[in-house]
């Protein structure tokens, strides 16, 4: 899943370093919105403003964790 | 004429404890702000140059610098906060050799009506007239907190500092809206009502991700203004539904024309493209070719160091835009569109040629074209179609990084596609029309 998310996001946000542990600081408004929209469409989960926290978007690992959590909540 | 800094001085004396500036870093009262501005102005007076070029970082320091430069009688040139050094130096060189009239207070760099990067010169008269236009037409009052989230060198945000200071309101500065939770917390915690300016793309983001929160704090919004790019009819209608008691303005403005017309689309007439009647210091005419022509106290003085380009758009006390529109039976401006190759991304106007020239300077790129591409949030983003030289290879990320090292961040394309050949017209020019979205 991590590699798939990386490919999806790197394609849309080529300037963002998804290896960073300070990802949230690197993102702009569009980057945050793009991540949430793409992941909610790809995994059929609901992601909204309250999910766009520095903790959830700290790194690629924390993004994967958020997606997994949302998928489990849906079940 | 009373200057912006005179108003600040008045409030510092008569309402010293009123909060002038706020952000996550703290708060400054009108007294604190004025003291900081005076101290900074003293420092700036020691510098020989009559021009002060600075990157507009999103915080108190820039606002203090901006007001202090005025107080010190300098011309301030606020640039993109992440502007690469090379371009920063280019602008210093350009303005150092230019003939800048004494009345000029600010030079704002913009893509301009012709697409080339230009320094738009404005004066204190423009600043005060723009501010009075907004105060009169949108109802700025001293008890509002105006939340600025956009870049402070852009007219959309900078022009909100002006009326806020004139009425003695509080300005809250945020760095974008990527943390929407922080944005809504700011709205909820404001002592009274709030107002904000958001480009249509930002409103789309808010509606996409924060619709519930927007509805929850509907009563806190006195007014919201949008502009700089077209907003969709659907988003306007959703905004009206979510914020039934908020004034929602769509405004016609540009760095060259100043702030010209505005329309509250939550007042019974909600139609995309309607930008309202001209404000008190402005007038609009449509010329025989359908172009919008502006008149009044908010027009720029000219482009810095570029008399030819100035004369093309500014003569007979009128500013001739490349925007097309018409005036309806009520005298409201109805915008039709914009002519030319300029691409509007989230309120920023970009000349694709500038992007292409830089991309082609990359050793691996043989040819390229920068085109608009539809995007669900921004409406439009830039896509670079590129041809790689024989026996070479290059990754998208490398192109993006190269462009980011030479251009302002908003000019760096979001999307990249490698192609075999760029379509050209019979005389060898880029065939832009062939790439336009249907």
């Amino acid at each position: 899943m991590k590699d798939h998310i990386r490919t999806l996001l790197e394609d849309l946000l080529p300037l963002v370093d998804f290896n960073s542990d300070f990802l949230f600081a690197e993102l702009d408004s569009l980057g945050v919105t793009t991540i949430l929209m793409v992941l909610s469409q790809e995994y059929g989960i609901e992601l909204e403003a309250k999910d766009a926290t520095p903790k959830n978007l700290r790194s690629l690992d924390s993004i994967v964790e958020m997606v997994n959590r949302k998928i489990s909540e849906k079940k | 004429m009373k200057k912006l800094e005179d108003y600040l001085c008045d409030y510092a004396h008569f309402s010293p404890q009123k909060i002038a500036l706020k952000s996550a870093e703290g708060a400054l009262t009108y007294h604190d702000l004025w003291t900081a501005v005076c101290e900074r102005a003293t420092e700036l007076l020691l510098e020989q140059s009559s021009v002060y070029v600075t990157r507009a970082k999103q915080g108190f320091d820039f606002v203090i610098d901006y007001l202090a430069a005025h107080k010190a009688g300098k011309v301030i040139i606020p640039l993109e906060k992440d502007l690469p050094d090379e371009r920063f130096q280019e602008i210093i060189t350009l303005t150092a050799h230019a003939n800048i009239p004494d009345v000029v207070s600010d030079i704002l760099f913009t893509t301009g009506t012709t697409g080339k990067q230009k320094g738009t010169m404005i004066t204190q008269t423009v600043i005060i007239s723009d501010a009075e236009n907004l105060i009169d037409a949108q109802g700025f009052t001293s008890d509002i907190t105006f939340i600025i989230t956009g870049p402070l060198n852009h007219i959309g945000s900078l022009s909100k500092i002006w009326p806020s200071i004139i009425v003695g309101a509080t300005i809250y500065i945020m760095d974008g809206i990527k943390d929407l939770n922080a944005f809504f917390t700011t709205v909820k915690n404001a002592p009274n009502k709030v107002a904000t300016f958001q480009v249509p793309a930002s409103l789309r983001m808010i509606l996409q991700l924060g619709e519930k929160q927007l509805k929850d704090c509907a009563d806190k919004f006195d007014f919201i203004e949008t502009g700089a790019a077209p907003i969709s009819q659907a988003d306007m209608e959703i905004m009206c539904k979510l914020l039934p008691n908020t004034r929602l303005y769509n405004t016609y403005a540009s760095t060259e024309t100043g702030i010209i017309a505005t329309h509250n689309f939550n007042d019974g007439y909600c139609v995309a493209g309607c930008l309202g009647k001209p404000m008190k210091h402005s007038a609009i005419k449509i010329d025989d070719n359908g172009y919008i022509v502006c008149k009044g106290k908010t027009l720029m003085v000219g482009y810095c160091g570029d008399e030819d380009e100035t004369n093309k758009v500014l003569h007979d006390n009128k500013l001739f835009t490349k925007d097309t529109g018409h005036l309806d039976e009520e005298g409201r401006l109805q915008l039709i569109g914009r002519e030319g190759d300029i691409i509007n991304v989230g309120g920023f106007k970009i000349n694709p040629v500038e992007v292409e020239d830089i991309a082609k300077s990359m050793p691996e790129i043989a040819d390229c074209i920068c085109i608009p591409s539809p995007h669900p949030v921004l409406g439009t983003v830039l896509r670079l179609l590129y041809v790689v030289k024989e026996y070479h290879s290059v990754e998208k990320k490398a192109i993006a990084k190269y462009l980011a090292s030479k251009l302002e961040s908003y000019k760096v394309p979001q999307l990249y596609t490698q192609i075999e050949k760029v379509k050209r017209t019979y005389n060898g020019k880029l065939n832009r029309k062939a790439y336009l979205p249907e």
Side-chain angles (χ1 to χ4, degrees), chain B residues 265-283:
Chain B
F265 58 86
N266 205 8
D267 196 21
Y269 185 74
C270 178
V271 173
C274 179
L275 298 167
K277 293 179 183 175
M279 302 188 209
K280 67 187 250 185
H281 291 304
S282 306

Side-chain angles (χ1 to χ4, degrees), chain A residues 10-17 24-25 27-30 32-34 36-37 46-50 52-54, chain B residues 176-181 205 208-210 212-213 375-378 381 396-397 400-401 404 412-416:
Chain A
E10 277 186 343
D11 202 39
L12 291 166
L13 301 167
L15 273 177
V16 176
D17 177 10
F24 189 75
L27 296 166
D28 59 10
S29 314
L30 176 66
V32 171
T33 314
T34 304
L36 297 186
M37 280 178 64
E46 197 178 320
L47 291 168
E48 51 186 354
K50 65 177 170 42
T53 61
Chain B
I177 53 161
K178 72 173 177 182
D179 191 347
L180 269 177
N181 297 309
M205 287 181 208
Q208 187 81 35
L209 300 172
K212 283 182 210 154
Q213 284 147 295
H375 187 276
V377 175
L378 285 178
V381 291
K396 294 174 186 181
K397 202 166 185 144
K401 280 193 171 169
V412 179
Q414 176 107 6
L415 305 169
Y416 296 81

Side-chain angles (χ1 to χ4, degrees), chain A residues 13-24:
Chain A
L13 301 167
L15 273 177
V16 176
D17 177 10
F18 283 95
N19 292 319
S20 171
D21 281 334
F22 305 96
L23 193 56
F24 189 75

Side-chain angles (χ1 to χ4, degrees), chain B residues 47-53 74-77 92 95-96 100 107:
Chain B
E47 293 181 15
Q48 280 198 329
S49 172
S50 59
V51 170
Y52 177 58
V53 187
K74 308 267 180 189
V75 176
I76 181 150
I77 306 180
I92 289 181
T95 51
I100 302 170
I107 302 179

Side-chain angles (χ1 to χ4, degrees), chain A residues 11-75:
Chain A
D11 202 39
L12 291 166
L13 301 167
L15 273 177
V16 176
D17 177 10
F18 283 95
N19 292 319
S20 171
D21 281 334
F22 305 96
L23 193 56
F24 189 75
E26 282 197 25
L27 296 166
D28 59 10
S29 314
L30 176 66
V32 171
T33 314
T34 304
I35 291 174
L36 297 186
M37 280 178 64
V38 166
L39 296 178
S40 63
Q41 276 166 19
E42 184 70 14
Y43 294 100
I45 51 179
E46 197 178 320
L47 291 168
E48 51 186 354
K50 65 177 170 42
D51 299 305
T53 61
K55 193 182 164 201
N56 283 341
L57 302 176
R58 185 174 48 83
S59 64
L60 189 59
D61 284 330
S62 58
I63 291 175
V64 174
E65 217 175 287
M66 172 180 74
V67 172
N68 278 326
R69 198 173 55 244
K70 288 282 175 179
I71 292 172
S72 329
E73 283 170 13
K74 213 178 84 174
K75 284 177 186 168

